[in-house]
């Protein structure tokens, strides 16, 4: 619902940006949308920003945990496949309706996947959660 107003393929204007949905794919676990954003104040410039949104459908608001593990693995794999296209300086935005818990868990899991890849199998979930909680105290719910 957060980005429900996005997705117009006819170039809807939101603030100073013209937004187009250029790609949409859905399965049982998640919906993937790709949007282009163009600053209408700089139409003469060849400046276009692309944002890819992954909406996790298999873990609804109010549920303590996802009903199954495979949908979580599927969305993590999809985001992990997309991330190399971003380069080192372009972050991934992860959100859910409440802004914590579900998106926080996804962020921690993605961080640990990258830690395993970079450090040859060394993970530290507690350290990841502590680091993320320094930036956002409610990113992951306390037990």
């Amino acid at each position: 619902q957060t980005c429900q107003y996005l997705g117009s393929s006819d170039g809807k204007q939101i603030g100073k940006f013209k937004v187009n949905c250029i790609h949409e794919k859905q399965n049982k676990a998640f919906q993937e949308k790709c949007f282009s954003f163009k600053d209408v104040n700089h139409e003469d410039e060849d400046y276009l920003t692309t944002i890819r949104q992954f909406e996790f459908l298999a873990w609804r608001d109010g549920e303590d945990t996802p009903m199954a593990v495979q949908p979580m693995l599927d969305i993590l794999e999809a985001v992990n496949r997309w991330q190399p296209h971003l380069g080192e300086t372009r972050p991934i935005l992860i959100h859910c309706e409440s802004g914590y818990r579900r998106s926080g868990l996804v962020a921690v899991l993605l961080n640990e996947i990258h830690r395993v890849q970079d450090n040859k199998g060394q993970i530290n979930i507690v350290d990841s959660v502590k680091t993320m909680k320094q930036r956002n105290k409610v990113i992951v719910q306390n037990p």
Side-chain angles (χ1 to χ4, degrees):
Q1 290 180 347
T2 305
C3 291
Q4 185 175 358
Y5 60 90
L6 295 178
S8 173
S9 59
D10 59 351
K12 182 176 184 177
Q13 187 166 331
I14 301 171
K16 68 176 191 170
F17 295 100
K18 187 173 184 179
V19 182
N20 282 306
C21 181
I22 54 179
H23 169 78
E24 189 171 347
K25 181 171 73 172
Q26 183 171 338
N27 60 37
K28 290 180 182 179
F30 63 93
Q31 180 172 348
E32 179 181 338
K33 290 183 180 179
C34 189
F35 302 98
S36 67
F37 285 74
K38 185 165 181 90
D39 188 334
V40 295
N41 297 327
H42 297 93
E43 285 288 336
D44 53 326
E45 297 177 22
D46 190 27
Y47 180 76
L48 190 69
T49 298
T50 303
I51 295 177
R52 189 164 298 237
Q53 172 191 346
F54 297 89
E55 181 182 356
F56 194 31
L57 304 172
W59 187 3
R60 304 207 189 291
D61 197 26
E63 295 176 349
D64 289 336
T65 59
M67 298 305 267
V69 173
Q70 191 59 51
M72 177 67 81
L73 296 175
D74 292 345
I75 194 167
L76 291 172
E77 180 184 6
V79 173
N80 211 24
R81 255 194 332 265
W82 170 247
Q83 194 169 16
H85 300 286
L86 298 175
E88 293 294 319
T89 60
R90 302 196 57 199
I92 289 181
L93 171 65
I94 301 169
H95 75 87
C96 62
E97 193 171 347
S98 64
Y100 64 98
R101 286 185 43 185
R102 292 173 292 165
S103 54
L105 179 60
V106 170
V108 168
L109 293 173
L110 285 169
N111 190 59
E112 289 307 306
I113 289 169
H114 292 286
R115 190 188 299 246
V116 166
Q117 292 167 342
D118 293 343
N119 296 321
K120 300 180 179 106
Q122 299 296 316
I123 65 169
N124 191 337
I125 293 174
V126 172
D127 185 51
S128 286
V129 171
K130 283 182 181 178
T131 300
M132 290 183 181
K133 279 184 163 276
Q134 288 174 352
R135 294 181 208 135
N136 179 349
K137 291 183 189 289
V138 295
I139 194 165
V140 177
Q141 186 176 5
N142 289 330

